[in-house]
Amino acid sequence: MWMYLFLGLYGLAMCFILFYSLAQAGLLWHFFRFKRNCMAPAKVSDAGLPAVTIQLPVFNEKYVVKRLITAVSEMKYPAQKLEIQVLDDSTDETSSIIQECIQNYPDINFKYLHRKNRNGFKAGALRDGLRQASGDLVAIFDADFVPDDQFLLQMVPHFSNPEIGMVQSRWGHLNEDYSLFTRLQAFALDAHFMVEQMGRNAQQAFINFNGTGGIWRKACILDAGNWQDDTLTEDLDLSYRAQQKGWKFLYRPDVVSPAELPPVMSAIKSQQFRWTKGGAECAVKHLKSVLLGSFPTKVKIHAAAHLLNSTIFIAVLLLSLSSIPVWWGFYQGLIPAIYFKAAALFLLSFTVIAAVYFFANLSLANYSAKGLLRYLWELPVFLSVSMGLSVHNAQAVWEGLSGRKSPFIRTPKYNLDEKTGPWVSNVYHQLKVPAGTYFEAILAAVFLILVGLSLYTATYEMLLFHGMLAIGFGMVSLASFRSYLAKPGA
Protein backbone atom coordinates (compact mmCIF):
# COMPACT_ATOMS: atom_id res chain seq x y z
CA MET A 1 0.00 0.00 0.00
CA TRP A 2 2.80 2.45 0.82
CA MET A 3 4.09 2.03 -2.72
CA TYR A 4 0.81 3.40 -4.09
CA LEU A 5 1.11 6.36 -1.73
CA PHE A 6 4.38 7.31 -3.40
CA LEU A 7 2.84 6.65 -6.79
CA GLY A 8 -0.01 9.00 -5.84
CA LEU A 9 2.44 11.76 -4.86
CA TYR A 10 4.29 11.19 -8.10
CA GLY A 11 1.09 11.48 -10.12
CA LEU A 12 -0.11 14.54 -8.19
CA ALA A 13 3.15 16.36 -8.85
CA MET A 14 2.97 15.42 -12.53
CA CYS A 15 -0.60 16.75 -12.74
CA PHE A 16 0.45 20.09 -11.28
CA ILE A 17 3.32 20.35 -13.77
CA LEU A 18 0.86 19.50 -16.56
CA PHE A 19 -1.48 22.29 -15.41
CA TYR A 20 1.45 24.71 -15.36
CA SER A 21 2.53 23.67 -18.86
CA LEU A 22 -0.99 24.08 -20.26
CA ALA A 23 -1.10 27.61 -18.86
CA GLN A 24 2.26 28.23 -20.53
CA ALA A 25 0.81 26.92 -23.79
CA GLY A 26 -1.93 29.54 -23.54
CA LEU A 27 0.66 32.26 -23.03
CA LEU A 28 2.64 31.02 -26.02
CA TRP A 29 -0.45 31.26 -28.21
CA HIS A 30 -1.04 34.87 -27.15
CA PHE A 31 2.66 35.64 -27.50
CA PHE A 32 2.22 35.28 -31.26
CA ARG A 33 -0.83 37.53 -31.18
CA PHE A 34 1.06 40.18 -29.23
CA LYS A 35 3.81 40.30 -31.84
CA ARG A 36 1.31 41.56 -34.39
CA ASN A 37 0.43 44.57 -32.22
CA CYS A 38 2.14 47.94 -32.61
CA MET A 39 2.97 49.14 -29.12
CA ALA A 40 4.83 52.38 -29.89
CA PRO A 41 2.82 55.45 -28.78
CA ALA A 42 2.52 58.74 -30.59
CA LYS A 43 5.29 61.21 -29.83
CA VAL A 44 4.57 63.95 -27.32
CA SER A 45 6.07 67.43 -27.45
CA ASP A 46 8.29 68.58 -24.60
CA ALA A 47 5.53 70.92 -23.45
CA GLY A 48 3.12 68.01 -23.16
CA LEU A 49 5.44 65.72 -21.18
CA PRO A 50 4.54 65.22 -17.50
CA ALA A 51 6.91 65.66 -14.56
CA VAL A 52 8.85 62.48 -13.77
CA THR A 53 10.63 61.30 -10.64
CA ILE A 54 13.25 58.57 -11.03
CA GLN A 55 13.75 56.55 -7.85
CA LEU A 56 17.02 54.68 -7.30
CA PRO A 57 16.69 52.41 -4.22
CA VAL A 58 20.19 51.56 -2.98
CA PHE A 59 21.59 49.50 -0.11
CA ASN A 60 25.34 48.89 0.14
CA GLU A 61 26.08 48.91 -3.59
CA LYS A 62 29.59 50.37 -3.76
CA TYR A 63 30.50 48.35 -6.86
CA VAL A 64 27.69 49.54 -9.13
CA VAL A 65 26.10 52.72 -7.78
CA LYS A 66 28.38 55.10 -9.68
CA ARG A 67 27.59 53.28 -12.93
CA LEU A 68 23.86 53.65 -12.21
CA ILE A 69 24.03 57.35 -11.39
CA THR A 70 26.11 58.04 -14.49
CA ALA A 71 23.59 56.25 -16.71
CA VAL A 72 20.57 58.02 -15.20
CA SER A 73 22.27 61.41 -15.45
CA GLU A 74 22.39 60.94 -19.23
CA MET A 75 18.63 60.36 -19.49
CA LYS A 76 17.03 62.46 -22.24
CA TYR A 77 14.12 64.45 -20.79
CA PRO A 78 13.30 68.12 -20.17
CA ALA A 79 15.49 69.03 -17.18
CA GLN A 80 12.82 71.17 -15.52
CA LYS A 81 10.46 68.16 -15.47
CA LEU A 82 12.89 65.56 -14.14
CA GLU A 83 13.77 64.73 -10.54
CA ILE A 84 16.13 61.90 -9.54
CA GLN A 85 15.81 60.51 -6.01
CA VAL A 86 18.64 58.41 -4.66
CA LEU A 87 16.98 56.40 -1.86
CA ASP A 88 20.01 55.35 0.13
CA ASP A 89 19.73 52.85 3.00
CA SER A 90 23.46 52.08 2.95
CA THR A 91 25.59 51.47 6.02
CA ASP A 92 28.97 51.44 4.28
CA GLU A 93 31.03 53.68 1.98
CA THR A 94 28.31 53.53 -0.68
CA SER A 95 26.79 56.67 0.86
CA SER A 96 29.94 58.74 0.39
CA ILE A 97 30.36 57.41 -3.16
CA ILE A 98 26.81 58.54 -4.00
CA GLN A 99 27.23 62.02 -2.53
CA GLU A 100 30.52 62.53 -4.30
CA CYS A 101 29.12 61.27 -7.60
CA ILE A 102 26.01 63.45 -7.72
CA GLN A 103 28.12 66.56 -7.12
CA ASN A 104 29.49 66.00 -10.62
CA TYR A 105 26.04 66.87 -12.02
CA PRO A 106 25.12 70.31 -10.62
CA ASP A 107 22.64 70.95 -13.45
CA ILE A 108 20.62 67.79 -12.72
CA ASN A 109 17.92 67.73 -10.06
CA PHE A 110 19.31 64.99 -7.80
CA LYS A 111 17.68 64.48 -4.39
CA TYR A 112 19.70 62.42 -1.94
CA LEU A 113 17.53 60.76 0.74
CA HIS A 114 19.34 58.70 3.35
CA ARG A 115 17.44 56.66 5.93
CA LYS A 116 18.99 55.74 9.24
CA ASN A 117 17.02 52.48 9.32
CA ARG A 118 15.74 49.98 6.78
CA ASN A 119 12.14 49.88 7.94
CA GLY A 120 10.17 48.12 5.23
CA PHE A 121 13.35 47.46 3.25
CA LYS A 122 12.98 48.37 -0.44
CA ALA A 123 9.21 48.90 -0.15
CA GLY A 124 9.79 51.24 2.79
CA ALA A 125 12.41 53.22 0.88
CA LEU A 126 10.11 53.62 -2.15
CA ARG A 127 7.20 54.59 0.09
CA ASP A 128 9.22 57.21 1.96
CA GLY A 129 10.59 58.61 -1.28
CA LEU A 130 7.13 58.77 -2.84
CA ARG A 131 5.99 61.19 -0.13
CA GLN A 132 8.56 63.68 -1.37
CA ALA A 133 8.37 62.90 -5.09
CA SER A 134 7.40 65.86 -7.26
CA GLY A 135 6.71 63.84 -10.42
CA ASP A 136 3.33 62.66 -11.65
CA LEU A 137 5.14 59.56 -12.92
CA VAL A 138 7.70 57.48 -11.03
CA ALA A 139 10.38 55.43 -12.79
CA ILE A 140 12.36 52.89 -10.75
CA PHE A 141 15.79 51.38 -11.36
CA ASP A 142 17.67 48.98 -9.10
CA ALA A 143 21.39 49.46 -8.56
CA ASP A 144 22.47 46.84 -11.11
CA PHE A 145 20.66 48.50 -14.04
CA VAL A 146 22.11 50.71 -16.76
CA PRO A 147 19.06 52.30 -18.42
CA ASP A 148 19.14 53.63 -21.96
CA ASP A 149 19.09 57.42 -22.31
CA GLN A 150 15.90 57.21 -24.45
CA PHE A 151 13.99 55.22 -21.83
CA LEU A 152 11.70 58.02 -20.61
CA LEU A 153 10.96 59.38 -24.06
CA GLN A 154 9.95 55.90 -25.24
CA MET A 155 7.81 55.01 -22.21
CA VAL A 156 6.23 58.20 -20.87
CA PRO A 157 3.94 58.97 -23.87
CA HIS A 158 1.83 55.90 -23.00
CA PHE A 159 0.55 57.75 -19.93
CA SER A 160 -1.45 60.09 -22.13
CA ASN A 161 -4.04 57.35 -21.69
CA PRO A 162 -5.46 58.08 -18.20
CA GLU A 163 -6.23 54.38 -17.63
CA ILE A 164 -2.56 53.34 -17.82
CA GLY A 165 -1.10 52.83 -14.35
CA MET A 166 2.26 51.20 -15.17
CA VAL A 167 4.47 50.53 -18.18
CA GLN A 168 7.19 47.86 -17.96
CA SER A 169 10.25 47.44 -20.17
CA ARG A 170 12.11 44.23 -20.97
CA TRP A 171 15.27 43.40 -19.07
CA GLY A 172 18.49 43.04 -21.03
CA HIS A 173 21.65 41.36 -19.74
CA LEU A 174 24.99 43.08 -19.35
CA ASN A 175 26.97 39.95 -18.51
CA GLU A 176 25.06 36.97 -19.87
CA ASP A 177 28.24 35.45 -21.32
CA TYR A 178 30.22 35.79 -18.09
CA SER A 179 29.60 32.19 -17.03
CA LEU A 180 27.36 29.19 -17.59
CA PHE A 181 25.07 30.31 -14.78
CA THR A 182 24.61 33.84 -16.10
CA ARG A 183 23.77 32.36 -19.50
CA LEU A 184 21.16 30.05 -17.96
CA GLN A 185 19.61 32.94 -16.04
CA ALA A 186 19.33 34.93 -19.27
CA PHE A 187 17.75 31.87 -20.88
CA ALA A 188 15.07 31.77 -18.15
CA LEU A 189 14.46 35.52 -17.92
CA ASP A 190 14.05 35.84 -21.68
CA ALA A 191 11.21 33.32 -21.52
CA HIS A 192 9.50 35.38 -18.82
CA PHE A 193 9.95 38.70 -20.59
CA MET A 194 9.03 37.39 -24.01
CA VAL A 195 6.39 34.66 -23.77
CA GLU A 196 4.97 35.25 -20.28
CA GLN A 197 4.77 39.04 -20.12
CA MET A 198 3.76 39.38 -23.76
CA GLY A 199 1.29 36.51 -23.57
CA ARG A 200 -0.44 37.92 -20.51
CA ASN A 201 -0.53 41.50 -21.77
CA ALA A 202 -1.88 40.45 -25.17
CA GLN A 203 -5.04 39.09 -23.53
CA GLN A 204 -5.32 41.81 -20.87
CA ALA A 205 -4.51 39.36 -18.09
CA PHE A 206 -2.63 40.36 -14.94
CA ILE A 207 1.01 41.20 -15.58
CA ASN A 208 3.53 42.36 -13.02
CA PHE A 209 5.90 45.24 -12.56
CA ASN A 210 9.29 43.54 -12.34
CA GLY A 211 10.62 45.71 -9.52
CA THR A 212 12.74 47.86 -11.82
CA GLY A 213 12.89 49.10 -15.39
CA GLY A 214 9.33 50.41 -15.36
CA ILE A 215 7.29 53.57 -14.78
CA TRP A 216 4.30 54.01 -12.48
CA ARG A 217 1.65 56.69 -12.38
CA LYS A 218 1.95 58.12 -8.88
CA ALA A 219 -1.83 58.29 -8.54
CA CYS A 220 -2.02 54.56 -9.34
CA ILE A 221 0.42 53.66 -6.58
CA LEU A 222 -1.52 55.71 -4.02
CA ASP A 223 -4.93 54.46 -5.19
CA ALA A 224 -3.74 50.85 -4.85
CA GLY A 225 -2.61 51.36 -1.26
CA ASN A 226 1.02 52.44 -1.77
CA TRP A 227 4.08 50.20 -1.37
CA GLN A 228 3.59 47.54 1.30
CA ASP A 229 6.27 45.41 2.95
CA ASP A 230 4.30 42.36 4.09
CA THR A 231 5.70 40.28 1.22
CA LEU A 232 9.22 39.91 -0.20
CA THR A 233 7.98 40.86 -3.68
CA GLU A 234 6.48 44.28 -3.14
CA ASP A 235 6.44 44.74 -6.94
CA LEU A 236 4.16 41.76 -7.61
CA ASP A 237 1.96 42.68 -4.64
CA LEU A 238 1.37 46.27 -5.79
CA SER A 239 0.83 45.06 -9.36
CA TYR A 240 -2.08 42.84 -8.31
CA ARG A 241 -3.60 45.46 -6.03
CA ALA A 242 -3.46 48.09 -8.77
CA GLN A 243 -4.94 45.89 -11.50
CA GLN A 244 -7.71 44.73 -9.19
CA LYS A 245 -8.57 48.42 -8.78
CA GLY A 246 -9.01 48.67 -12.54
CA TRP A 247 -5.70 50.20 -13.63
CA LYS A 248 -4.28 48.97 -16.93
CA PHE A 249 -0.68 47.85 -17.38
CA LEU A 250 1.35 47.91 -20.58
CA TYR A 251 4.42 45.94 -21.56
CA ARG A 252 7.05 47.20 -24.03
CA PRO A 253 9.33 44.31 -25.10
CA ASP A 254 11.08 46.57 -27.59
CA VAL A 255 12.37 48.90 -24.85
CA VAL A 256 15.32 47.17 -23.19
CA SER A 257 16.71 47.99 -19.75
CA PRO A 258 20.11 46.28 -19.38
CA ALA A 259 21.05 44.81 -16.01
CA GLU A 260 23.67 42.61 -14.37
CA LEU A 261 22.95 38.95 -13.68
CA PRO A 262 24.20 37.32 -10.43
CA PRO A 263 27.42 35.50 -11.42
CA VAL A 264 27.69 33.01 -8.54
CA MET A 265 25.35 30.47 -6.97
CA SER A 266 25.14 32.12 -3.54
CA ALA A 267 23.86 35.33 -5.16
CA ILE A 268 21.54 33.39 -7.48
CA LYS A 269 20.04 31.56 -4.54
CA SER A 270 19.54 34.80 -2.62
CA GLN A 271 17.59 36.24 -5.55
CA GLN A 272 15.67 33.03 -6.20
CA PHE A 273 14.67 32.73 -2.54
CA ARG A 274 13.22 36.24 -2.50
CA TRP A 275 11.37 35.82 -5.79
CA THR A 276 9.89 32.39 -5.03
CA LYS A 277 8.95 33.09 -1.42
CA GLY A 278 7.54 36.49 -2.30
CA GLY A 279 5.50 34.96 -5.09
CA ALA A 280 4.01 32.42 -2.68
CA GLU A 281 3.23 35.20 -0.18
CA CYS A 282 1.42 37.12 -2.91
CA ALA A 283 -0.56 34.00 -3.80
CA VAL A 284 -1.78 33.78 -0.20
CA LYS A 285 -2.59 37.48 -0.23
CA HIS A 286 -4.31 37.83 -3.62
CA LEU A 287 -5.42 34.51 -5.10
CA LYS A 288 -8.78 34.37 -3.31
CA SER A 289 -9.77 37.93 -4.20
CA VAL A 290 -8.80 37.42 -7.85
CA LEU A 291 -10.72 34.16 -8.18
CA LEU A 292 -13.80 35.68 -6.52
CA GLY A 293 -13.54 38.90 -8.51
CA SER A 294 -15.51 39.82 -11.61
CA PHE A 295 -12.73 39.00 -14.04
CA PRO A 296 -13.09 36.82 -17.18
CA THR A 297 -12.44 33.13 -16.59
CA LYS A 298 -9.27 33.10 -18.70
CA VAL A 299 -7.88 36.01 -16.66
CA LYS A 300 -8.54 34.10 -13.44
CA ILE A 301 -6.85 30.97 -14.80
CA HIS A 302 -3.74 32.85 -15.85
CA ALA A 303 -3.68 34.77 -12.57
CA ALA A 304 -3.80 31.50 -10.64
CA ALA A 305 -0.97 30.06 -12.74
CA HIS A 306 0.98 33.30 -12.33
CA LEU A 307 0.60 33.54 -8.56
CA LEU A 308 1.24 29.83 -8.05
CA ASN A 309 4.09 29.44 -10.54
CA SER A 310 6.76 29.29 -7.83
CA THR A 311 4.90 26.27 -6.40
CA ILE A 312 6.29 24.34 -9.37
CA PHE A 313 9.45 23.81 -7.28
CA ILE A 314 7.52 21.92 -4.61
CA ALA A 315 6.03 19.76 -7.36
CA VAL A 316 9.48 19.12 -8.87
CA LEU A 317 10.94 18.19 -5.49
CA LEU A 318 8.03 15.84 -4.71
CA LEU A 319 8.35 14.32 -8.16
CA SER A 320 12.09 13.80 -7.68
CA LEU A 321 11.87 12.24 -4.22
CA SER A 322 8.85 10.04 -4.96
CA SER A 323 10.49 8.79 -8.16
CA ILE A 324 13.00 6.85 -6.04
CA PRO A 325 10.50 4.39 -4.49
CA VAL A 326 8.42 4.43 -7.70
CA TRP A 327 11.47 3.30 -9.67
CA TRP A 328 12.05 0.57 -7.12
CA GLY A 329 8.40 -0.48 -7.34
CA PHE A 330 8.58 -0.85 -11.11
CA TYR A 331 11.85 -2.75 -10.85
CA GLN A 332 10.44 -5.18 -8.28
CA GLY A 333 7.16 -5.62 -10.16
CA LEU A 334 5.16 -4.04 -7.31
CA ILE A 335 3.61 -1.47 -9.65
CA PRO A 336 2.05 -2.55 -12.96
CA ALA A 337 3.91 -1.31 -16.03
CA ILE A 338 0.67 0.18 -17.39
CA TYR A 339 1.00 3.04 -14.89
CA PHE A 340 4.36 4.00 -16.28
CA LYS A 341 3.03 3.89 -19.82
CA ALA A 342 0.18 6.21 -18.80
CA ALA A 343 2.76 8.67 -17.53
CA ALA A 344 3.83 9.19 -21.14
CA LEU A 345 0.91 11.64 -21.36
CA PHE A 346 2.97 14.04 -19.30
CA LEU A 347 5.55 14.26 -22.07
CA LEU A 348 3.17 16.97 -23.25
CA SER A 349 4.44 19.10 -20.36
CA PHE A 350 8.02 18.85 -21.55
CA THR A 351 7.01 19.59 -25.14
CA VAL A 352 5.15 22.76 -24.16
CA ILE A 353 7.92 24.02 -21.88
CA ALA A 354 10.51 23.31 -24.57
CA ALA A 355 8.40 25.26 -27.08
CA VAL A 356 8.09 28.25 -24.72
CA TYR A 357 11.85 28.51 -24.31
CA PHE A 358 12.41 27.83 -28.00
CA PHE A 359 10.30 30.72 -29.25
CA ALA A 360 11.33 33.09 -26.46
CA ASN A 361 15.05 32.65 -27.02
CA LEU A 362 15.08 32.05 -30.75
CA SER A 363 12.91 35.09 -31.43
CA LEU A 364 15.55 37.25 -29.75
CA ALA A 365 18.22 35.56 -31.86
CA ASN A 366 16.21 36.12 -35.07
CA TYR A 367 15.83 32.33 -35.41
CA SER A 368 19.48 32.03 -36.45
CA ALA A 369 21.40 28.76 -36.70
CA LYS A 370 23.70 29.96 -33.93
CA GLY A 371 20.69 30.62 -31.73
CA LEU A 372 19.29 27.15 -32.44
CA LEU A 373 22.58 25.42 -31.56
CA ARG A 374 22.78 27.41 -28.36
CA TYR A 375 19.20 26.49 -27.48
CA LEU A 376 19.82 22.77 -28.02
CA TRP A 377 22.43 22.59 -25.27
CA GLU A 378 20.97 25.29 -23.01
CA LEU A 379 17.53 23.70 -22.63
CA PRO A 380 18.62 20.38 -21.03
CA VAL A 381 21.24 22.11 -18.87
CA PHE A 382 18.72 24.74 -17.78
CA LEU A 383 16.09 22.12 -16.90
CA SER A 384 18.68 20.13 -14.93
CA VAL A 385 19.86 23.15 -12.93
CA SER A 386 16.25 24.24 -12.33
CA MET A 387 15.54 20.81 -10.84
CA GLY A 388 18.74 21.11 -8.84
CA LEU A 389 17.41 24.33 -7.30
CA SER A 390 14.17 22.64 -6.20
CA VAL A 391 15.34 21.99 -2.63
CA HIS A 392 16.29 25.62 -2.05
CA ASN A 393 13.28 27.10 -3.82
CA ALA A 394 10.75 24.63 -2.41
CA GLN A 395 11.82 25.70 1.08
CA ALA A 396 11.25 29.33 0.10
CA VAL A 397 7.80 28.58 -1.33
CA TRP A 398 6.78 26.57 1.72
CA GLU A 399 7.78 29.44 4.01
CA GLY A 400 5.75 31.82 1.87
CA LEU A 401 2.64 29.64 1.82
CA SER A 402 2.83 28.91 5.55
CA GLY A 403 3.30 32.55 6.54
CA ARG A 404 6.80 32.29 7.96
CA LYS A 405 8.43 35.71 7.75
CA SER A 406 12.05 36.48 6.89
CA PRO A 407 13.98 39.69 6.18
CA PHE A 408 14.50 41.15 2.72
CA ILE A 409 17.98 40.03 1.67
CA ARG A 410 19.12 41.85 -1.42
CA THR A 411 21.17 40.17 -4.13
CA PRO A 412 24.85 41.23 -4.13
CA LYS A 413 25.93 43.17 -7.22
CA TYR A 414 29.40 42.64 -8.72
CA ASN A 415 29.81 44.97 -11.72
CA LEU A 416 31.04 42.11 -13.91
CA ASP A 417 30.02 42.95 -17.44
CA GLU A 418 33.10 41.39 -18.99
CA LYS A 419 33.96 37.75 -19.66
CA THR A 420 36.44 37.79 -16.80
CA GLY A 421 36.39 39.39 -13.38
CA PRO A 422 37.27 38.56 -9.75
CA TRP A 423 33.87 37.89 -8.18
CA VAL A 424 35.50 36.47 -5.03
CA SER A 425 36.72 39.94 -4.06
CA ASN A 426 33.13 41.07 -3.44
CA VAL A 427 32.60 41.73 0.27
CA TYR A 428 28.82 41.32 0.10
CA HIS A 429 28.34 37.69 -0.90
CA GLN A 430 27.35 35.13 1.72
CA LEU A 431 30.04 32.89 3.22
CA LYS A 432 27.96 30.58 5.42
CA VAL A 433 26.92 27.27 3.85
CA PRO A 434 23.16 26.62 4.31
CA ALA A 435 22.01 23.17 5.38
CA GLY A 436 20.12 22.76 2.12
CA THR A 437 23.38 22.73 0.18
CA TYR A 438 24.44 19.53 1.95
CA PHE A 439 21.06 17.97 1.13
CA GLU A 440 21.55 18.92 -2.54
CA ALA A 441 24.91 17.13 -2.51
CA ILE A 442 23.33 14.03 -0.95
CA LEU A 443 20.60 13.98 -3.60
CA ALA A 444 23.22 14.33 -6.34
CA ALA A 445 24.92 11.20 -4.99
CA VAL A 446 21.61 9.32 -4.62
CA PHE A 447 20.49 9.99 -8.19
CA LEU A 448 23.94 9.20 -9.53
CA ILE A 449 23.69 5.81 -7.82
CA LEU A 450 20.22 5.32 -9.33
CA VAL A 451 21.63 6.05 -12.78
CA GLY A 452 24.22 3.35 -12.21
CA LEU A 453 21.61 0.90 -10.97
CA SER A 454 19.36 1.63 -13.97
CA LEU A 455 22.21 0.86 -16.33
CA TYR A 456 23.19 -2.26 -14.40
CA THR A 457 19.64 -3.65 -14.21
CA ALA A 458 18.61 -2.46 -17.70
CA THR A 459 15.65 -0.51 -16.27
CA TYR A 460 15.82 2.57 -18.45
CA GLU A 461 12.38 4.08 -17.85
CA MET A 462 13.64 6.83 -15.50
CA LEU A 463 17.25 6.95 -16.63
CA LEU A 464 17.01 10.31 -18.38
CA PHE A 465 15.07 11.92 -15.52
CA HIS A 466 17.41 10.62 -12.84
CA GLY A 467 20.43 11.55 -14.95
CA MET A 468 19.22 15.15 -15.21
CA LEU A 469 18.58 15.21 -11.45
CA ALA A 470 22.09 13.92 -10.73
CA ILE A 471 23.57 16.58 -13.00
CA GLY A 472 21.33 19.34 -11.65
CA PHE A 473 21.84 18.66 -7.95
CA GLY A 474 25.54 18.07 -8.59
CA MET A 475 26.03 21.37 -10.43
CA VAL A 476 24.03 23.38 -7.91
CA SER A 477 25.70 21.88 -4.84
CA LEU A 478 29.23 22.16 -6.22
CA ALA A 479 28.68 25.75 -7.36
CA SER A 480 27.14 26.55 -3.98
CA PHE A 481 30.09 25.18 -2.02
CA ARG A 482 32.47 27.07 -4.29
CA SER A 483 30.70 30.40 -3.79
CA TYR A 484 29.88 30.05 -0.08
CA LEU A 485 33.39 28.90 0.83
CA ALA A 486 35.26 31.39 -1.34
CA LYS A 487 37.48 33.76 0.60
CA PRO A 488 37.68 37.43 -0.45
CA GLY A 489 40.90 38.00 -2.32
CA ALA A 490 41.25 34.31 -3.26
Side-chain angles (χ1 to χ4, degrees), residues 137-214:
L137 305 180
V138 180
I140 300 170
F141 292 102
D142 283 346
D144 53 335
F145 274 69
V146 185
D148 185 81
D149 62 359
Q150 297 295 313
F151 175 86
L152 293 177
L153 295 178
Q154 291 175 308
M155 302 276 279
V156 165
H158 287 292
F159 290 92
S160 60
N161 179 350
E163 295 183 324
I164 296 294
M166 191 279 299
V167 182
Q168 175 68 50
S169 68
R170 175 168 63 88
W171 291 7
H173 317 297
L174 292 170
N175 62 329
E176 67 177 283
D177 291 323
Y178 177 82
S179 71
L180 172 63
F181 290 115
T182 56
R183 182 53 226 160
L184 295 180
Q185 289 172 83
F187 185 78
L189 286 170
D190 287 344
H192 168 69
F193 280 100
M194 294 300 290
V195 172
E196 293 182 348
Q197 288 287 61
M198 291 172 67
R200 292 182 184 119
N201 207 206
Q203 55 185 318
Q204 299 301 304
F206 285 86
I207 69 168
N208 60 292
F209 170 59
N210 291 106
T212 176

Side-chain angles (χ1 to χ4, degrees), residues 82 90 109 130 133 137 162 200 218 257 263 302 314 336 355 461 471:
L82 182 61
S90 299
N109 185 18
L130 193 67
L137 305 180
R200 292 182 184 119
K218 183 177 180 180
S257 296
H302 282 292
I314 291 182
E461 291 84 358
I471 293 171

Side-chain angles (χ1 to χ4, degrees), residues 273-287:
F273 188 91
R274 189 173 70 253
W275 287 353
T276 51
K277 181 174 180 177
E281 289 174 328
C282 286
V284 173
K285 185 173 181 178
H286 296 294
L287 185 57

Side-chain angles (χ1 to χ4, degrees), residues 3-160:
M3 187 61 68
Y4 283 94
L5 174 63
F6 288 116
L7 185 62
L9 288 174
Y10 187 85
L12 185 64
M14 291 289 279
C15 286
F16 184 86
I17 294 172
L18 179 61
F19 164 74
Y20 170 81
S21 68
L22 292 176
Q24 293 291 95
L27 294 178
L28 183 60
W29 169 257
H30 287 281
F31 160 75
F32 293 112
R33 295 183 59 191
F34 184 102
K35 292 180 69 176
R36 292 193 292 270
N37 296 337
C38 178
M39 302 305 301
K43 291 185 178 181
V44 179
S45 65
D46 286 0
L49 290 171
V52 173
T53 295
I54 299 178
Q55 291 187 320
L56 309 176
V58 175
F59 173 66
N60 293 354
E61 302 288 6
K62 67 179 184 178
Y63 298 109
V64 296
V65 71
K66 185 176 180 179
R67 182 181 67 182
L68 170 68
I69 291 174
T70 300
V72 174
S73 71
E74 297 171 353
M75 198 78 72
K76 305 297 184 184
Y77 206 75
Q80 69 276 15
K81 295 185 176 184
L82 182 61
E83 171 190 58
I84 302 174
Q85 290 183 341
V86 184
L87 309 176
D88 182 26
D89 285 359
S90 299
T91 58
D92 66 358
E93 61 265 42
T94 301
S95 298
S96 60
I97 294 173
I98 293 171
Q99 294 177 75
E100 180 181 349
C101 188
I102 62 178
Q103 289 178 8
N104 296 326
Y105 307 101
D107 298 329
I108 299 176
N109 185 18
F110 273 102
K111 297 291 178 64
Y112 176 70
L113 306 176
H114 184 262
R115 298 198 305 170
K116 295 182 179 180
N117 59 64
R118 293 188 70 203
N119 289 342
F121 305 104
K122 180 181 175 181
L126 294 172
R127 186 171 58 237
D128 289 352
L130 193 67
R131 283 197 288 264
Q132 303 180 50
S134 61
D136 299 314
L137 305 180
V138 180
I140 300 170
F141 292 102
D142 283 346
D144 53 335
F145 274 69
V146 185
D148 185 81
D149 62 359
Q150 297 295 313
F151 175 86
L152 293 177
L153 295 178
Q154 291 175 308
M155 302 276 279
V156 165
H158 287 292
F159 290 92
S160 60

Side-chain angles (χ1 to χ4, degrees), residues 312-327:
I312 193 75
F313 289 103
I314 291 182
V316 169
L317 184 60
L318 282 176
L319 186 69
S320 303
L321 297 177
S322 61
S323 72
I324 300 172
V326 168
W327 173 85

Side-chain angles (χ1 to χ4, degrees), residues 273 276-277 313-314 317 390-400 404 434 436:
F273 188 91
T276 51
K277 181 174 180 177
F313 289 103
I314 291 182
L317 184 60
S390 61
V391 170
H392 176 269
N393 288 350
Q395 177 188 349
V397 174
W398 181 253
E399 288 186 9
R404 181 179 175 183

